[in-house]
Amino acid sequence: MTDPLFHPGWIRFNEAQWGLTAEKVTLLPEKGDGWKLETVLYRNKKGLLTHPPRNPYLPMHFECATGRISSLNRRKRLALEGLAELLKKNRIKNRLTFSPLAQDVRPFLWQGMRAEPQFTYHIELDCWRDPVDPSALNRARKARSLGYACEVTTAYQDVCDCLKAAEERKKFDHQVSAEELKTLAEQMGDNLVCFVLKNAQGEIKGASVCLYTEGHVVDWSAAIKTEALQEGGNNILVEFLLDYFQEKGCKTFDFVGANIAPVARMKELWGGSLVTYYTIRSPGLRDLARTAVLTAKDLFKKNKAKPVAGIRLE
């Protein structure tokens, strides 16, 4: 599986950090092995499905025995219908956000749920420099001329201090201490890397924490101090990350979120593809009333819905 959010160390971290229980879900067709969908769901102590803090999305993996588009679309729809049926049978606390792989949200809407779009940028790493706006690389060169430089680090306290310093400006709480970050790094091994940005005096002015596999990189946490931001510090750090993971042979870099206007404007300069993923919520009162009306109409119909997928929890 190419998504680092399937990593056993990441799953164990979520369970311990947030007091949750993970459930690996595998959906299969009733007959044969034409497709398979896998994901990870989490339950809180009350048994409700919940989205763990600091998880950009819940991972998803889909396999299909055919490459024909019509069959692929149908089988993926059937798999997502199976997932939607599973969610419908459970109580959801607030929301669940799924991987961009779950782009067809119709099965969830058909079950009366709500789907809200989220956005991110994916950068193909094999030739990442080709589509970049020149201004992004110019700002990286400016930062380099001022003495900024980036490096890999295991100084988790330095990383967390930098993340903490930017929280007030970003109105965001990273919710992970240096000791907890160290624990996560130990559990994920080589699949987690921390980076720092230093100025000419050797002071740390930025940091990033990435989760990755050979196929996919998740830019999990990042922060740049204000003074470095104005001098191109963010640009030289992103350039360093993209070069680093390209050399590692990774395929795709996920910027993790482009939903706030200033953030979206910065990330779009790097030439990635705008990617949509969805947050799924249980229906509100208005949705329930509408569903009740539709259900009443359906009582006049004799067509009986057929189950669409077999479900096995591992």
Side-chain angles (χ1 to χ4, degrees):
M1 297 183 192
T2 60
D3 196 321
L5 303 191
F6 273 117
H7 194 287
W10 177 255
I11 295 173
R12 288 195 301 271
F13 172 78
N14 279 315
E15 291 183 307
Q17 183 76 5
W18 317 116
L20 305 175
T21 300
E23 295 181 2
K24 296 181 181 178
V25 177
T26 301
L27 291 87
L28 301 164
E30 289 188 323
K31 297 180 181 180
D33 57 357
W35 56 264
K36 179 170 69 172
L37 186 146
E38 295 173 275
T39 187
V40 180
L41 301 177
Y42 293 89
R43 292 187 188 273
N44 63 16
K45 293 180 180 178
K46 295 182 179 180
L48 277 64
L49 293 178
T50 188
H51 193 98
R54 299 305 331 280
N55 279 238
Y57 52 77
L58 299 175
M60 186 173 292
H61 176 73
F62 180 73
E63 296 178 8
C64 185
T66 179
R68 192 166 62 245
I69 294 298
S70 58
S71 296
L72 178 64
N73 289 341
R74 180 177 62 83
R75 293 178 184 186
K76 193 172 184 181
R77 172 182 55 77
L78 290 172
L80 291 171
E81 284 182 359
L83 179 58
E85 288 183 359
L86 175 61
L87 298 187
K88 184 69 172 181
K89 295 174 183 176
N90 288 269
R91 294 174 61 197
I92 299 174
K93 181 183 178 182
N94 297 328
R95 52 93 181 184
L96 301 175
T97 300
F98 284 102
S99 157
L101 191 64
Q103 287 192 330
D104 184 359
V105 293
R106 295 173 302 167
F108 304 99
L109 299 177
W110 294 336
Q111 290 290 347
M113 302 176 200
R114 290 183 293 158
E116 302 170 6
Q118 309 290 328
F119 302 93
T120 187
Y121 283 98
H122 283 185
I123 296 176
E124 298 303 318
L125 289 168
D126 58 344
C127 53
W128 72 262
R129 288 180 180 270
D130 294 346
V132 177
D133 189 297
S135 65
L137 296 178
N138 288 340
R139 287 183 60 78
R141 281 192 287 271
K142 174 186 176 182
R144 195 175 296 108
S145 70
L146 294 173
Y148 284 95
C150 304
E151 62 186 50
V152 175
T153 185
T154 55
Y156 303 115
Q157 188 63 60
D158 290 343
V159 172
C160 284
D161 287 347
C162 187
L163 296 177
K164 189 74 175 175
E167 285 182 349
E168 183 176 347
R169 186 188 78 238
K170 297 172 68 176
K171 307 299 181 185
F172 181 77
D173 184 357
H174 288 88
Q175 299 178 267
V176 177
S177 69
E179 191 61 34
E180 291 162 345
L181 178 58
K182 179 181 178 182
T183 298
L184 174 59
E186 290 171 349
Q187 291 178 338
M188 293 197 69
D190 293 339
N191 296 106
L192 181 148
V193 189
C194 295
F195 305 86
V196 290
L197 166 72
K198 294 183 178 181
N199 65 8
Q201 291 72 44
E203 301 168 324
I204 295 176
K205 295 296 181 179
S208 177
V209 182
C210 293
L211 317 176
Y212 80 99
T213 61
E214 187 173 309
H216 193 67
V217 183
V218 172
D219 190 19
W220 180 53
S221 291
I224 304 291
K225 293 184 179 179
T226 302
E227 59 272 24
L229 195 64
Q230 297 169 347
E231 294 178 335
N234 184 66
N235 297 73
I236 192 173
L237 181 56
V238 172
E239 180 186 47
F240 186 85
L241 297 180
L242 297 178
D243 278 338
Y244 179 89
F245 288 112
Q246 182 187 54
E247 291 175 6
K248 286 284 186 181
C250 300
K251 306 302 182 186
T252 306
F253 183 90
D254 184 349
F255 257 129
V256 183
N259 300 297
I260 301 170
V263 174
R265 286 193 286 268
M266 181 280 291
K267 292 181 177 180
E268 72 183 4
L269 294 175
W270 294 93
S273 300
L274 182 63
V275 174
T276 307
Y277 58 108
Y278 289 90
T279 291
I280 305 300
R281 299 183 188 274
S282 295
L285 292 177
R286 182 177 297 179
D287 301 300
L288 292 172
R290 180 176 178 274
T291 300
V293 172
L294 294 175
T295 300
K297 292 180 179 179
D298 287 343
L299 291 176
F300 292 98
K301 298 179 181 179
K302 295 182 180 180
N303 293 332
K304 205 170 185 179
K306 297 180 180 180
V308 295
I311 297 174
R312 180 174 75 248
L313 297 181
E314 297 182 345

